[in-house]
Amino acid sequence: MVKKYVLVSGGVISGIGKGIIASSTGLLLKTMGLKVTSIKIDPYLNIDAGTLSPLDHGEVFVLNDGGEVDLDLGNYERYLDVTLTRSNNITTGKIYRDVIERERKGDYLGKTVQVVPHITDAIQDWVERVATIPVDDSGEEPDVCIIELGGTVGDIESAPFVEAMRQFQFRVGHENFALIHVSLVPTIGSVGEQKTKPTQASIRDLRGLGLTPDLIACRCEKTGLDEGIQAKISMFCHVQPNQVLAVRDCNSVYHVPELLKDQGLVDFLWKRLNIDQTITISAPLKQKGSDMWKKWNQLTSAQERLHDTVTIVLVGKYTNLQDSYASVVKALEHASLNCRKKLIMKWVEASDLEPETRSANPVKYHEAWQDLCSAQGILVPGGFGNRGVEGKIAAAKWAREQKVPYLGICLGLQIAVIEFARNVCGMPEANSIELDENTTTPVVVYMPEISKTHLGGTMRLGARPTEFQAGTENSTIRKLYGGGSTVLERHRHRYEINPELIEKFEAKGLKFVGKDETGERMEIVELADHPYFLGVQYHPEYLTRPLKPSAPFMGLILAATGDLKSHLATL
């Protein structure tokens, strides 16, 4: 089967938007009826993203198979509506580990193992293997593989991957390999003049490494490229003017596919990859793609017409880098769009709600509490460590007592239970083993099967079933999920609610409506006599889609806008 590959590289600066452009390219090809998969290459030495700080690298995204991967794979899944595997994220650590293991087995038969050809061959073999894995409900091999090369061209750590891709273009053939290079066209000075030199230098570096871009995606400010800039880049970078795309800042990333399509990206790739002559697209897939594009357009046009707002406050410990909560924000956006509401997010650093901040920085303390008290809904996402925990507990207490809609995810569930134990069940010393190893009232305990010495890849990870308990037919969250007896969601945790205390909590009105298949592990908690007070041990944000929002987030938005009861009545 003929496979097409589209490589997306970046220059000048990191974080330039390669992930969104790669996702948008994949979406546009999928709307034409093609089956599309994606690979993200991260040049760091870590085996996976699991042990990286969110403040350093953004959110850790979790896949169905338990893979802890780069947040860009979340973009791919949301845009393309596919289910990827841990193999779709390549790191230097994974490649070197595999090559060294093969060397130890004697697979290289006494040869000197080198970066070229052994590392570069391993990269190419990995890409070809993963590109054949079915990722959608068709169960068929993808037609196109989008490869995003992380980092910036010229980085030392990405050099083996760039060389591997240089060789790969010849391995698969010219008409099966296209390259989109994302570069920056900055606006300098008070006169606002756009400069092309950074892009020229970036393309020169890329061509010097043996790769020639087919399309140059120029990131620029809201006005787009100035007159003459496109022609200048075309002339100095050895491409036609129609191969230079202006990717301006948009009101929403959901507008980027339309922006690229309007500039002819699909038409160019269709001819460049000779898709008409090499791939047969069935009529049902063409229709499915067309319907997908129609719905996407409806989504983006509806977003521009929203006037009614909903204010949600996120109480977290990584709020200095909002990418730490990328999927949570997307899930809120998707739910808000579905409810025809414009989302206003307020970010509150959890430690700012604590008494220590009141004395150290009273202005910050009162601003944080003002944001919390004025919000229509409160969300406490996952996290690790002690910092900010008491602030999160204070937020959960406010939500419970003031009847403000609350959604706690992973640690957010544990926070809600600790707060309830302290202030309702008469357990003032209630705490988590994670936060205080010597607590006399361990409400949250270490899961017995989890390693206490190795942190990488040892949590309870991936898609696992949650079973609604008998007698929960009237549960709000069960109704939002469609009323079934089981839901499948992705997990990432090493601590759980202490099963020995469940009876005490339930006697006071905190109902554990969802448990794992053994009935021993608490998954979903709801508070009786509250508009919407929900905690989930899993991460529902990982499975949200623009056209299929996540049920717990839908519940939060509906409750925050006062529409939950009327919505439930329609189900």
Side-chain angles (χ1 to χ4, degrees), residues 37-343:
T37 187
S38 291
I39 293 174
K40 172 69 190 294
I41 294 174
D42 283 306
Y44 48 66
L45 276 167
N46 305 62
I47 298 295
D48 59 34
T51 55
L52 293 173
S53 165
L55 290 172
D56 181 53
H57 208 73
E59 168 193 75
V60 177
F61 191 79
V62 176
L63 302 169
N64 270 4
D65 64 2
E68 296 174 286
V69 296
D70 185 83
L71 60 84
D72 278 317
L73 273 81
N75 283 326
Y76 304 155
E77 286 204 339
R78 287 187 286 268
Y79 272 69
L80 304 177
D81 195 17
V82 295
T83 302
L84 302 176
T85 70
R86 67 180 74 218
S87 295
N88 289 80
N89 193 192
I90 305 175
T91 69
T92 299
K94 285 181 182 178
I95 295 293
Y96 273 78
R97 180 184 64 183
D98 283 7
V99 170
I100 289 168
E101 283 177 357
R102 290 184 63 191
E103 187 275 330
R104 290 292 83 190
K105 286 181 194 171
D107 287 358
Y108 296 113
L109 301 174
K111 292 178 181 174
T112 303
V113 181
Q114 297 175 294
V115 172
V116 181
H118 301 101
I119 294 295
T120 52
D121 282 352
I123 293 166
Q124 295 174 74
D125 293 343
W126 190 303
V127 168
E128 280 197 307
R129 174 175 59 83
V130 174
T132 64
I133 299 173
V135 292
D136 58 21
D137 51 13
S138 73
E140 298 175 4
E141 279 190 23
D143 302 309
V144 181
C145 179
I146 310 290
I147 307 165
E148 181 191 344
L149 177 58
T152 308
V153 168
D155 292 346
I156 291 173
E157 57 264 32
S158 64
F161 294 101
V162 174
E163 172 58 23
M165 290 299 100
R166 184 194 69 79
Q167 297 174 22
F168 192 66
Q169 64 186 330
F170 301 112
R171 182 193 280 207
V172 299
H174 178 71
E175 72 170 20
N176 298 320
F177 181 91
L179 170 59
I180 302 173
H181 187 69
V182 187
S183 188
L184 179 69
V185 178
T187 302
I188 304 296
S190 56
V191 293
E193 184 185 2
Q194 289 183 331
K195 294 293 184 182
T196 64
K197 270 291 187 287
T199 296
Q200 292 179 44
S202 180
I203 298 297
R204 186 167 61 245
D205 289 345
L206 188 66
R207 290 169 64 82
L209 295 167
L211 286 168
T212 300
D214 296 290
L215 290 168
I216 303 173
C218 300
R219 292 282 288 107
C220 50
E221 293 183 357
K222 288 194 174 182
T223 52
L225 291 178
D226 294 343
E227 188 179 349
I229 294 294
Q230 188 178 30
K232 189 174 181 181
I233 291 172
S234 162
M235 180 171 63
F236 284 104
C237 296
H238 200 63
V239 293
Q240 293 287 342
N242 70 325
Q243 293 171 261
V244 180
L245 310 178
V247 188
R248 57 179 172 77
D249 294 340
C250 299
N251 294 330
S252 162
V253 292
Y254 303 120
H255 291 281
V256 175
E258 295 176 74
L259 185 68
L260 295 176
K261 186 169 187 174
D262 290 344
Q263 295 181 74
L265 179 137
V266 176
D267 294 337
F268 177 84
L269 289 179
W270 214 258
K271 292 175 183 173
R272 170 67 180 77
L273 296 172
N274 196 21
I275 289 172
D276 271 337
Q277 304 301 317
T278 53
I279 296 177
T280 303
I281 304 171
S282 67
L285 279 176
K286 282 183 181 178
Q287 186 58 48
K288 190 176 179 182
S290 176
D291 293 343
M292 185 181 185
W293 184 240
K294 194 179 296 180
K295 288 177 182 175
W296 192 275
N297 279 323
Q298 289 170 353
L299 175 90
T300 53
S301 59
Q303 188 181 29
E304 292 177 337
R305 294 195 298 267
L306 297 177
H307 301 292
D308 295 339
T309 62
V310 58
T311 303
I312 302 295
V313 65
L314 185 148
V315 182
K317 62 178 290 188
Y318 311 118
T319 56
N320 289 335
L321 182 66
Q322 294 178 5
D323 263 359
S324 302
Y325 302 108
S327 291
V328 172
V329 174
K330 296 302 177 194
L332 286 169
E333 286 178 357
H334 300 164
S336 302
L337 278 169
N338 201 268
C339 297
R340 300 288 184 266
K341 296 291 185 288
K342 186 176 183 180
L343 177 67

